[in-house]
Amino acid sequence: MSNEAAVAQNRSTENRSVSLGSAAGPLGYLALGLTLLAFGLLGTGVLNDAGVKDAGSLALFVGGLTLFIAGLLEFRGGSAVTGTAFTALGAFWVTWSQAAAASKDATALFLILWALLALTLTATHWLGGELVRGVYALFTVSLVLLAIGVLASNDTLGKVAGWVAAVAGLLAWYSATSALAGGSWGRLGLPVR
């Protein structure tokens, strides 16, 4: 194989990796949106006999596994920021799905530590789109409110945290849908940035 053919093959492989990474973004934000929406709505108390812990399977497989895989694809595509976000959030959801027996203090500490991660994700996406920045900012607020609610045994703060998480989920879902539609909505769609 000549040098020119090898360079062309390498470029082809690089382009394929980038497209895998960029294609994983909407998948990751759909998974994040679904998980946050379920997590949030179950936390609000609007569904009888259901709570945040009932989202365990969804958190494990959609939030955990799917986000982790999307994160690895983002890393492969060259996006360290989104790759880090998705793999870290995948780890969060896997851990959350398994943390049913944790004490009140351990749960609050867990939520505060993950709120710090969400705050980091908000900062790293500061120059990105407003919707994505809003997803991480609202997720941060939700985790902080939930941690305070857990420590204070305040169900009202937990419900407010649920609504904030649900809105973050809707933003993530909209961001992914907009990216998948490729701007084909014209004036009817909300802007992504």
Side-chain angles (χ1 to χ4, degrees), residues 15-166:
N15 289 339
R16 191 168 52 246
S17 295
V18 170
S19 68
L20 280 174
S22 62
L27 170 65
Y29 284 110
L30 280 173
L32 181 59
L34 281 170
T35 310
L36 279 172
L37 192 56
F39 174 78
L41 289 176
L42 289 169
T44 63
V46 298
L47 301 171
N48 292 334
D49 298 325
V52 171
K53 298 292 183 186
D54 292 321
S57 293
L58 181 71
L60 177 61
F61 293 110
V62 177
L65 186 61
T66 304
L67 272 168
F68 192 80
I69 291 169
L72 293 178
L73 292 173
E74 284 290 311
F75 278 129
R76 184 171 182 226
S79 178
V81 173
T82 307
T84 300
F86 289 167
T87 54
L89 290 172
F92 167 80
W93 290 116
V94 167
T95 307
W96 181 258
S97 73
Q98 304 301 312
S103 70
K104 179 173 81 168
D105 291 343
T107 300
L109 176 62
F110 172 82
L111 292 168
I112 291 296
L113 291 174
W114 286 98
L116 290 173
L117 171 78
L119 182 62
T120 298
L121 297 176
T122 304
T124 59
H125 285 82
W126 198 255
L127 295 177
E130 294 168 358
L131 284 175
V132 172
R133 184 175 56 231
V135 169
Y136 295 124
L138 289 172
F139 187 42
T140 304
V141 170
S142 174
L143 291 171
V144 169
L145 289 173
L146 190 55
I148 294 169
V150 166
L151 283 174
S153 298
N154 185 327
D155 289 341
T156 302
L157 274 179
K159 289 179 181 184
V160 170
W163 285 113
V164 173

